[in-house]
Amino acid sequence: MDLSTFGRDDEGQPTEYMPLEDTYSPTLHRVNQVIRWRAVHPNDEIPPVPGILIKYSNPPDELIQKAQRSLDAMLAAGGVKKVPPKALHSRKRGRDMPKPLSGLDVTELLGRERRTRISPDNAIPEFKQLLAAAEDVTTIKDATQQMAAIVQSLIRHSVGDSGYGRAVEAIRVMREELVDLEEPECFNAFLRELKRMLLAEELGGERREMWWLIR
């Protein structure tokens, strides 16, 4: 999989395959391309992604074939197995965690002791663990209330803005997890109350900067 000599220069001599100065953001260029196309062709179908934009998105086939024996040996030695895709689940319980084909579910082993309380020192992982084990909406709401209290405490006891970063990260995770579980109202209710408390200066005084960061 050596890229240092896989490319060819103008004279056909070996050279680096993808030097840093020749690489680019395919997303940025694709967005710009689509904007230009839509401006000129407002009613036409958007053209497919040009090959040049995704040239460096995958390793060259020739290198993969060359390294296939080594890759196969590594997979066999490491016992690497594919994980099945996540199953689409119905509303409310949202997600099923993928089960490894090896049969060893480390998450299940670690989660046998049913968690009911979230520690402020390890809030985000324990919040996720509690939601993953939740069997009803009541548990989800309880976990949200616990995280809400932790976020409020982080803001209330923050010296200046020292605790704002942890609070914002906790809020971000709450939003992602609750939307993923299709319980956005739990998050919206929490955020409305947090905004009210911030603007009413109930979390340790004037904290409007925190609301600006959340927005």
Side-chain angles (χ1 to χ4, degrees), residues 66-212:
K66 181 179 178 181
Q68 194 61 54
R69 291 182 59 187
S70 298
L71 291 172
D72 291 341
M74 182 180 67
L75 293 174
V80 178
K81 301 182 187 305
K82 289 185 177 180
V83 177
K86 292 182 179 180
L88 294 178
H89 209 270
S90 60
R91 291 178 61 87
K92 301 304 181 186
R93 280 303 311 124
R95 302 167 298 181
D96 272 345
M97 297 303 290
K99 295 178 174 56
L101 297 180
S102 63
L104 180 62
D105 192 340
V106 177
T107 302
E108 192 276 333
L109 291 174
L110 295 176
R112 281 179 178 171
E113 182 179 351
R114 189 60 71 86
R115 180 177 302 281
T116 59
R117 305 305 302 171
I118 299 174
S119 168
D121 296 327
N122 195 34
I124 290 177
E126 293 182 9
F127 176 68
K128 290 182 176 181
Q129 185 178 348
L130 188 55
L131 290 184
E135 297 179 352
D136 51 45
V137 177
T138 301
T139 304
I140 296 174
K141 290 182 177 180
D142 178 66
T144 303
Q145 290 171 359
Q146 291 188 56
M147 279 295 282
I150 291 171
V151 169
Q152 293 167 11
S153 178
L154 286 170
I155 299 171
R156 181 179 289 109
H157 298 103
S158 175
V159 178
D161 61 358
S162 61
Y164 290 179
R166 288 181 61 195
V168 169
E169 177 64 11
I171 294 170
R172 182 189 66 79
V173 171
M174 290 175 68
R175 180 179 184 275
E176 290 180 354
E177 294 293 314
L178 292 170
V179 168
D180 199 19
L181 286 173
E182 298 192 9
E183 291 293 343
E185 184 52 36
C186 289
F187 177 79
N188 293 338
F190 149 73
L191 198 60
R192 284 193 294 266
E193 176 62 11
L194 181 64
K195 178 181 180 181
R196 185 197 66 77
M197 296 177 73
L198 287 170
L199 299 183
E201 300 185 2
E202 296 178 7
L203 296 177
E206 206 282 317
R207 300 286 189 180
R208 291 177 181 269
E209 181 183 352
M210 178 63 194
W211 180 246
W212 181 83

Side-chain angles (χ1 to χ4, degrees), residues 11-65:
E11 299 177 356
Q13 298 299 313
T15 187
E16 186 177 358
Y17 174 65
M18 47 181 299
L20 184 61
E21 61 270 17
D22 291 344
T23 57
Y24 41 79
S25 168
T27 302
L28 176 63
H29 286 278
R30 175 58 173 169
V31 170
N32 288 336
Q33 178 203 34
V34 169
I35 291 174
R36 291 194 299 269
W37 175 270
R38 181 56 74 220
V40 179
H41 309 278
N43 300 316
D44 294 348
E45 290 290 329
I46 295 175
V49 180
I52 187 63
L53 287 185
I54 55 177
K55 176 181 179 181
Y56 297 133
S57 297
N58 296 290
D61 291 338
E62 183 179 336
L63 279 183
I64 293 178
Q65 295 172 7

